Amino acid sequence: MARILVTGGTGYIGSHTTVELMQQGYDVVIVDNLSNSNADVLDGIEAIVGTRPPFEQVDCNDAPAMAGVFTRYPDIVGVIHFAASKAVGESVEQPLLYYRNNLMSLVTLLEQMKAHNVHNIVFSSSCTVYGQPTPEHLPVDETAPIQVALSPYGNTKQINEEIIRDEAHADKSLQATILRYFNPIGAHPSAMIGELPNGVPQNLLPFVTQTAIGLRKELKVFGNDYNTPDGSCIRDYIYVVDLAKAHVKAVERMISGQSEEQVEVFNLGTGRGLSVLEILHTFMQVTGVDVPYEIVGRREGDIEQVWADPSYANKMLNWKAEVSLEDTVRSIWKWQLHLAEQVCSLRKELGLREESMDDLMMLSEESLNSSIKTFNEFKESNTFNVNKLPKIESTALVSEEQDNTSKEVQEFANGKNLSNKEYEESSIDDWFKKMT
């Protein structure tokens, strides 16, 4: 089967698309610099599909490294380009980061595709290119005018689309499909992969679930004075697996020669606009978990309301978003609980106290983040520094019996005459041998 290069393939949408491609028989190679993802995602992909895709830890801005990828995989016939910085608010604060990363990565990729005779690209674009559509253009179809971008992130998507069109004009062998999608949410039904950004989430649903489980104090809803029924922003929330399947359809259309234009554009959404508060209340209703939230001021760069008219994609790609909002919400809550169970398993694996799910849901942000970091370090490097072991600080267990894990393990290890230097340099297997 044909091989597809997926840039940003360990990211949220990239990992789900990789799964769908592999399940349809495609060979895949993933390129990702892991700036906003983790290599553990490969374990999840393998658990779902049964095969581990080749992975290259490469920055798409690194031309020699990207040339090496194309050389090592000469059977690449197409590229899906996800790799990009993607947070609206962050882009307003750090515009140069976004322009450097999002624009140059595409330029480098197109150069290497041309040098290695790869002629098909699916580009991950966004509804942000439409800015705030006028009422007569809601819902938004592909003929709606491109508005002045309200954020540097949105502007990079507009410029990248122009770069693709200009290169296609110059190189008639280039075939491009631009997918302008709306707001992907949810997780794979297996709960093996989902959205797990490094640091504080920039998207709504991960923040909702982390608040629901007790990792975040409260959700901030940015604005309740918009011209919408409940005053909060309206978006078109699409299930990530439905979105991933559309990418497979786009690849099939291109490599089979069915594209009707050299550059095709499709809007990917459900056709239904939902407000931030509607999503929040649906989550609480479906899961039965209350989510504390606070209404705060508007966030710079946010669009008031936008949702898709996906009828063109429905017809031309033979694709449609099918999963309900309720099932989508269930999938992301299942994913969040799976992440929490990973922390429990980590502590059990290291011989520490095994928290109940009730205890875990009350862990402080610092403790849970530290546990996840330790878990990832342990899996990736097989090296463990006991001095960095997280102390449990559960607000549900504040008493004299509160677990002082780091101190207890340190004292026990000291009794075995194991120095701090030995902790840092020994493997996890050596550490356990000396502890027993």
Side-chain angles (χ1 to χ4, degrees):
M1 192 71 171
R3 185 178 298 279
I4 305 300
L5 168 61
V6 180
T7 73
T10 59
Y12 176 41
I13 306 172
S15 60
H16 287 81
T17 300
T18 295
V19 165
E20 296 302 318
L21 285 167
M22 294 175 69
Q23 289 182 331
Q24 292 301 313
Y26 288 93
D27 294 322
V28 175
V29 57
I30 291 174
V31 164
D32 204 304
N33 66 1
L34 302 181
S35 62
N36 195 37
S37 61
N38 193 289
D40 287 348
V41 170
L42 299 170
D43 296 335
I45 294 173
E46 184 176 12
I48 297 168
V49 182
T51 304
R52 194 178 189 88
F55 169 66
E56 301 278 345
Q57 186 172 348
V58 169
D59 191 316
C60 289
N61 289 295
D62 187 337
M66 288 299 294
V69 172
F70 281 97
T71 300
R72 286 189 292 277
Y73 300 92
D75 56 343
I76 294 172
V77 299
V79 178
I80 304 179
H81 184 44
F82 292 108
S85 301
K86 64 182 185 68
V88 169
E90 182 184 57
S91 76
V92 174
E93 298 170 356
Q94 301 183 61
L96 296 182
L97 168 68
Y98 275 69
Y99 287 117
R100 180 187 303 111
N101 190 43
N102 293 4
L103 302 184
M104 293 310 302
S105 62
L106 176 63
V107 171
T108 302
L109 179 61
L110 289 171
E111 288 174 340
Q112 294 306 317
M113 287 175 60
K114 189 171 187 177
H116 294 86
N117 296 312
V118 177
H119 305 295
N120 300 299
I121 183 170
V122 175
F123 176 64
S124 167
S125 192
S126 168
C127 66
T128 58
V129 302
Y130 296 114
Q132 176 54 67
T134 56
E136 61 268 24
H137 288 109
L138 283 172
V140 182
D141 66 19
E142 291 79 1
T143 66
I146 303 299
Q147 306 279 355
V148 174
L150 298 182
S151 69
Y153 164 72
N155 202 27
T156 64
K157 292 299 185 182
Q158 290 184 6
I159 296 171
N160 275 338
E161 289 193 11
E162 293 171 1
I163 289 171
I164 289 171
R165 291 185 185 280
D166 288 345
E167 178 59 17
H169 178 76
D171 179 5
K172 299 305 181 184
S173 68
L174 179 64
Q175 183 65 53
T177 302
I178 295 171
L179 300 180
R180 294 172 180 164
Y181 39 84
F182 286 63
N183 291 70
I185 59 173
H188 194 271
S190 67
M192 291 293 103
I193 56 174
E195 187 170 13
L196 183 61
N198 292 336
V200 179
Q202 299 292 326
N203 294 336
L204 174 62
L205 263 298
F207 212 111
V208 168
T209 58
Q210 290 188 14
T211 304
I213 207 166
L215 179 57
R216 309 288 170 189
K217 180 181 177 181
E218 64 183 7
L219 172 73
K220 288 181 170 57
V221 176
F222 295 104
N224 66 342
D225 58 350
Y226 287 100
N227 185 28
T228 61
D230 64 18
S232 64
C233 292
I234 289 177
R235 298 289 183 270
D236 188 333
Y237 295 92
I238 179 173
Y239 182 42
V240 66
V241 176
D242 282 337
L243 183 64
K245 290 177 179 178
H247 288 76
V248 179
K249 291 287 190 179
V251 167
E252 292 173 350
R253 181 176 172 85
M254 279 197 308
I255 66 177
S256 64
Q258 297 179 36
S259 300
E260 296 182 359
E261 298 179 17
Q262 190 181 0
V263 179
E264 295 191 315
V265 178
F266 300 102
N267 286 349
L268 301 181
T270 66
R272 178 187 179 193
L274 294 168
S275 74
V276 171
L277 290 175
E278 283 180 292
I279 292 291
L280 177 59
H281 292 308
T282 298
F283 176 88
M284 290 191 284
Q285 181 179 10
V286 168
T287 64
V289 179
D290 288 333
V291 179
Y293 67 94
E294 177 189 7
I295 304 293
V296 298
R298 296 185 181 190
R299 180 174 59 182
E300 188 176 1
D302 277 347
I303 295 168
E304 179 176 274
Q305 51 184 318
V306 62
W307 67 94
D309 175 355
S311 57
Y312 185 62
N314 296 161
K315 177 182 177 182
M316 304 305 291
L317 295 179
N318 190 28
W319 164 90
K320 186 176 182 180
E322 296 179 338
V323 177
S324 69
L325 175 62
E326 290 75 16
D327 285 343
T328 300
V329 166
R330 290 186 186 98
S331 75
I332 194 170
W333 185 232
K334 182 180 178 182
W335 163 246
Q336 183 65 63
L337 294 177
H338 171 73
L339 293 176
E341 288 167 359
Q342 280 190 304
V343 178
C344 288
S345 298
L346 163 68
R347 303 193 68 83
K348 184 177 181 180
E349 191 168 0
L350 295 176
L352 308 177
R353 193 190 80 179
E354 183 181 1
E355 275 69 48
S356 68
M357 285 302 296
D358 288 341
D359 291 344
L360 192 64
M361 289 177 71
M362 297 302 293
L363 287 179
S364 69
E365 175 180 343
E366 180 180 0
S367 178
L368 186 52
N369 280 342
S370 181
S371 292
I372 293 172
K373 181 180 179 182
T374 303
F375 181 77
N376 291 334
E377 288 176 349
F378 167 50
K379 290 186 68 176
E380 290 179 6
S381 66
N382 201 34
T383 301
F384 183 68
N385 180 356
V386 74
N387 294 316
K388 296 180 180 178
L389 222 107
K391 173 183 174 180
I392 293 297
E393 295 177 348
S394 171
T395 56
L397 300 170
V398 179
S399 69
E400 294 180 0
E401 298 178 357
Q402 184 173 3
D403 193 353
N404 291 314
T405 306
S406 297
K407 181 179 178 182
E408 291 172 1
V409 174
Q410 179 74 62
E411 289 175 350
F412 178 58
N414 284 343
K416 294 285 186 176
N417 298 315
L418 196 61
S419 69
N420 288 342
K421 187 173 186 297
E422 288 176 301
Y423 291 145
E424 295 173 0
E425 295 179 353
S426 63
S427 71
I428 191 70
D429 290 334
D430 293 338
W431 184 75
F432 274 122
K433 287 177 183 177
K434 292 182 181 181
M435 292 285 281
T436 57

